[in-house]
């Protein structure tokens, strides 16, 4: 079912604090829900016609009749506590919208790490001991590195690249290909040579190193607009909030009475919840934020490409999700299992690489050949579609300086997966994930509330 949203106009009540939220992605909608729950009148401005930002529904797909697909395939884990909390607050039935599976990382041709339903940390210990496709030397190298990281509380004295860290930990090249490379690309969307080892350890800490349920894999059964942004929109409207879809904010100005968006609508505070490169286009209208605008404009980004291949309805994978080592295809999802879109296979290719020089048709052909040769899928597809997000995430590099939620202008805040987790330190705990976006949105909203109560 696709939820249809009405586009409402803001008619704020006198005396009620008003906040404009620029961007209807996961960060913006999280901030809006948090503020709406506190009695603030929020107005969300979204440039697109569909909520979700970089995790949204592609409404018109020629793949499975009129069924929707997503602009990219995202995987959630049980450790995404803040996103799950807000979804429940907005009335989402978590048991209905997720296919919840114990942690299982399967990478063709023969690697399988499966964590059984045992109490932590026993689930991880058993999973590592029984991992398939590893020699005893590879198994010991993996167990040793995970255990040492736990003893060190998942912290490095100095952040370095994942490639350098793995070299320091004497990880075999074969183990890197089977486990570390697919994991890093999936979690950080950044090549090993550039990716932050500390951020990767943070991900391991909150998944494999957390409670058993935190490592569960959550496969959405619906599109990413339905998963949270649209229920959040309904919650916001029920709490006297407003949505403006198809409205691109071009600039912000300030006067003695508050903030003006495009010189037309006035608000007591503003949360800019757009991706960094879009924020860099909005903020230059405020000279006090020139340094911030320059910082965001200089950031590097990494792409994500999703290849959808429509086979006959009876075609399916042996497991809902699996990885491929040494291939264009990195992670392969069976949307027949999760979404009921039978025969539809989604292939995710994270970060830049050899595939970057191929056209969409060339890449789809190469991926189709890989699935035929490696997984035994048919050598002919009925339809195909390639969706490329060229700036899907920021490049998650070592010691990347990130901006705080607070800006140098009182009442103007940032929200997004790119912000710092600890104010004043300029460092981020998480890569560009839905959980990171939601946590930033909630934090921005909480700081905004303190500002409004001054």
């Amino acid at each position: 079912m696709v939820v249809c949203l009405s586009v409402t106009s803001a008619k704020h009540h006198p005396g009620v604090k008003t906040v404009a939220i620029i961007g209807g992605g996961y960060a913006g909608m999280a901030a809006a829900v948090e503020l709406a729950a506190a009695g603030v009148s929020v107005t969300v401005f979204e440039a697109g016609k569909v909520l979700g930002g970089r995790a949204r529904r592609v409404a018109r797909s020629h793949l499975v009749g009129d069924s929707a697909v997503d602009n990219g395939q995202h995987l959630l884990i049980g450790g995404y506590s803040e996103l799950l909390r807000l979804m429940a607050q907005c009335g989402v039935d978590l048991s209905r919208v997720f296919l919840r599976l114990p942690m299982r990382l399967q990478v063709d041709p023969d690697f399988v790490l499966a964590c059984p339903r045992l109490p932590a940390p026993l689930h991880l210990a058993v999973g590592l001991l029984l991992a398939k496709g590893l020699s005893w030397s590879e198994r010991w190298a993996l167990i040793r590195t995970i255990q040492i990281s736990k003893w060190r509380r998942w912290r490095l004295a100095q952040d370095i690249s994942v490639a350098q860290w793995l070299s320091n930990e004497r990880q075999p090249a074969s183990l890197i290909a089977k486990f570390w490379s697919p994991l890093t690309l999936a979690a950080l969307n950044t090549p090993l040579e550039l990716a932050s080892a500390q951020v990767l350890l943070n991900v391991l800490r909150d998944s494999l190193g957390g409670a058993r349920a935190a490592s569960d894999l959550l496969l959405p059964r619906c599109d990413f607009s339905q998963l949270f942004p649209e229920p959040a929109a309904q919650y916001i409207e029920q709490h006297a909030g407003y949505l403006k879809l198809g409205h691109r904010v071009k600039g912000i100005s300030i006067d003695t009475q508050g903030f003006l968006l495009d010189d037309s609508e006035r608000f007591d505070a503003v949360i800019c919840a757009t991706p960094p490169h879009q924020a860099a286009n909005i903020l230059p209208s405020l000279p006090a934020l020139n340094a911030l605008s320059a910082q965001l404009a200089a950031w590097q980004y990494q792409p994500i490409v999703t290849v959808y291949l429509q086979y006959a309805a009876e075609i399916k994978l042996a497991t809902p999700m699996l990885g491929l080592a040494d291939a264009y295809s990195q992670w392969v999802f069976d949307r027949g299992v999760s979404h009921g879109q039978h025969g539809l296979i989604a292939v995710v290719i994270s970060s830049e690489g050899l595939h970057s020089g191929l056209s969409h048709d060339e890449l789809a052909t190469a991926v189709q050949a890989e699935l035929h040769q490696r997984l035994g899928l048919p050598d002919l597809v009925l339809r195909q579609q390639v969706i490329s997000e060229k700036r899907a995430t920021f490049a998650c590099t070592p010691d990347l300086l990130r901006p705080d939620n607070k800006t140098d202008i009182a009442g103007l805040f940032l929200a997004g997966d790119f912000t710092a987790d600890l104010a004043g330190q300029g460092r981020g705990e998480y890569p560009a994930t839905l959980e990171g976006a939601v946590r930033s949105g909630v934090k921005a909203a909480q700081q905004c509330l303190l500002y409004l109560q001054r």
Side-chain angles (χ1 to χ4, degrees):
M1 179 184 70
V2 175
V3 178
C4 295
L5 296 172
S6 59
V7 180
T8 54
S9 299
K11 296 179 181 179
H12 302 291
H13 298 290
V16 176
K17 295 294 185 180
T18 61
V19 176
I21 297 177
I22 306 172
Y26 274 64
M29 299 309 289
V33 168
E34 193 79 0
L35 288 171
V40 176
S41 179
V42 299
T43 301
V44 178
F45 295 85
E46 168 54 44
K49 296 182 179 180
V50 179
L51 293 170
R54 287 167 290 164
R56 67 185 182 279
R57 175 176 63 248
V58 178
R60 295 176 62 87
S61 170
H62 62 277
L63 290 165
V64 195
D66 294 328
S67 297
V69 296
D70 296 295
N71 70 315
Q73 191 79 27
H74 300 263
L75 178 67
L76 289 75
I77 60 173
Y80 281 10
S81 57
E82 200 68 351
L83 174 56
L84 297 178
R85 177 187 71 83
L86 286 182
M87 289 175 64
Q89 181 176 333
C90 293
V92 177
D93 183 348
L94 299 180
S95 64
R96 183 184 64 82
V97 298
F98 287 121
L99 172 61
R100 188 170 193 133
L101 303 171
M103 169 65 77
R104 178 184 173 89
L105 298 178
Q106 179 175 340
V107 181
D108 182 79
D110 57 4
F111 176 77
V112 180
L113 171 62
C115 293
R117 293 189 181 278
L118 295 172
L122 189 59
H123 73 307
L124 177 58
V126 172
L128 291 172
L129 286 172
L130 300 181
K132 299 178 181 179
L134 296 180
S135 66
W136 281 109
S137 61
E138 291 171 336
R139 191 186 313 274
W140 169 243
L142 180 56
I143 292 174
R144 173 177 51 79
T145 297
I146 294 292
Q147 190 58 52
I148 289 174
S149 298
K150 290 178 66 176
W151 288 338
R152 293 173 178 167
R153 299 182 181 273
W154 308 98
R155 301 300 302 179
L156 294 174
Q158 175 65 45
D159 195 7
I160 55 178
S161 72
V162 171
Q164 183 60 56
W165 176 66
L166 294 176
S167 176
N168 294 348
E169 294 295 327
R170 303 190 303 279
Q171 296 293 281
S174 55
L175 180 60
I176 293 174
K178 295 175 184 177
F179 177 74
W180 290 112
S181 181
L183 178 66
T184 302
L185 289 172
L188 274 62
N189 192 43
T190 305
L192 273 67
E193 296 75 18
L194 301 177
S196 163
Q198 183 57 68
V199 174
L200 178 62
L201 286 172
N202 297 340
V203 173
L204 293 175
R205 176 197 65 202
D206 292 346
S207 54
L208 294 178
R212 188 212 58 77
S215 67
D216 283 351
L217 303 180
L218 307 182
L219 297 179
R221 295 181 182 273
C222 59
D223 65 66
F224 277 99
S225 294
Q226 283 183 273
L227 190 67
F228 170 64
E230 290 179 346
Q234 293 178 340
Y235 181 92
I236 292 162
E237 290 187 317
Q238 291 167 1
H239 289 74
Y242 307 92
L243 296 163
K244 291 196 172 186
L245 302 183
H247 187 124
R248 184 180 298 277
V249 174
K250 298 179 180 178
I252 306 170
S253 58
I254 308 172
D255 62 16
T256 56
Q257 300 181 56
F259 294 85
L260 281 169
L261 268 60
D262 296 334
D263 297 324
S264 59
E265 296 189 66
R266 192 181 307 279
F267 297 89
D268 295 308
V270 174
I271 296 177
C272 183
T274 66
H277 64 278
Q278 293 180 7
N281 294 329
I282 299 173
L283 299 180
S285 59
L286 301 169
L289 300 184
N290 284 347
L292 174 60
S293 298
Q295 177 189 8
L296 297 181
W299 270 25
Q300 300 299 308
Y301 299 89
Q302 289 289 331
I304 295 179
V305 179
T306 305
V307 179
Y308 287 103
L309 300 176
Q310 179 65 61
Y311 295 91
E314 65 271 14
I315 300 301
K316 61 181 67 176
L317 298 179
T319 183
M321 179 194 85
L322 58 87
L324 271 67
D326 299 321
Y328 287 123
S329 310
Q330 294 169 2
W331 291 98
V332 187
F333 296 84
D334 188 338
R335 288 178 67 98
V337 175
S338 57
H339 294 72
Q341 296 174 327
H342 300 293
L344 182 59
I345 303 298
V347 178
V348 177
I349 306 172
S350 298
S351 83
E352 58 193 10
L354 294 176
H355 64 278
S356 302
L358 301 179
S359 69
H360 282 186
D361 286 343
E362 290 171 337
L363 182 57
T365 299
V367 166
Q368 176 187 331
E370 286 180 343
L371 300 191
H372 174 62
Q373 296 165 4
R374 300 278 294 268
L375 305 180
L377 271 60
D379 60 357
L380 180 66
V381 298
L382 304 179
R383 291 174 295 278
Q384 66 188 39
Q385 183 171 350
V386 179
I387 299 176
S388 177
E389 289 280 348
K390 295 182 179 180
R391 289 185 284 197
T393 69
F394 60 87
C396 192
T397 54
D399 279 329
L400 177 66
L401 285 175
R402 306 193 198 181
D404 292 331
N405 292 100
K406 288 183 179 179
T407 71
D408 289 337
I409 295 179
L412 177 59
F413 305 88
L414 296 179
D417 55 21
F418 62 95
T419 62
D421 299 297
L422 299 175
Q425 297 189 15
R427 294 294 185 269
E429 286 276 292
Y430 292 93
T433 62
L434 297 180
E435 177 70 3
V438 166
R439 289 190 182 200
S440 178
V442 169
K443 184 179 175 184
Q446 292 171 346
Q447 293 180 347
C448 184
L449 286 172
L450 291 176
Y451 168 78
L452 295 173
Q453 295 166 3
R454 73 197 191 285

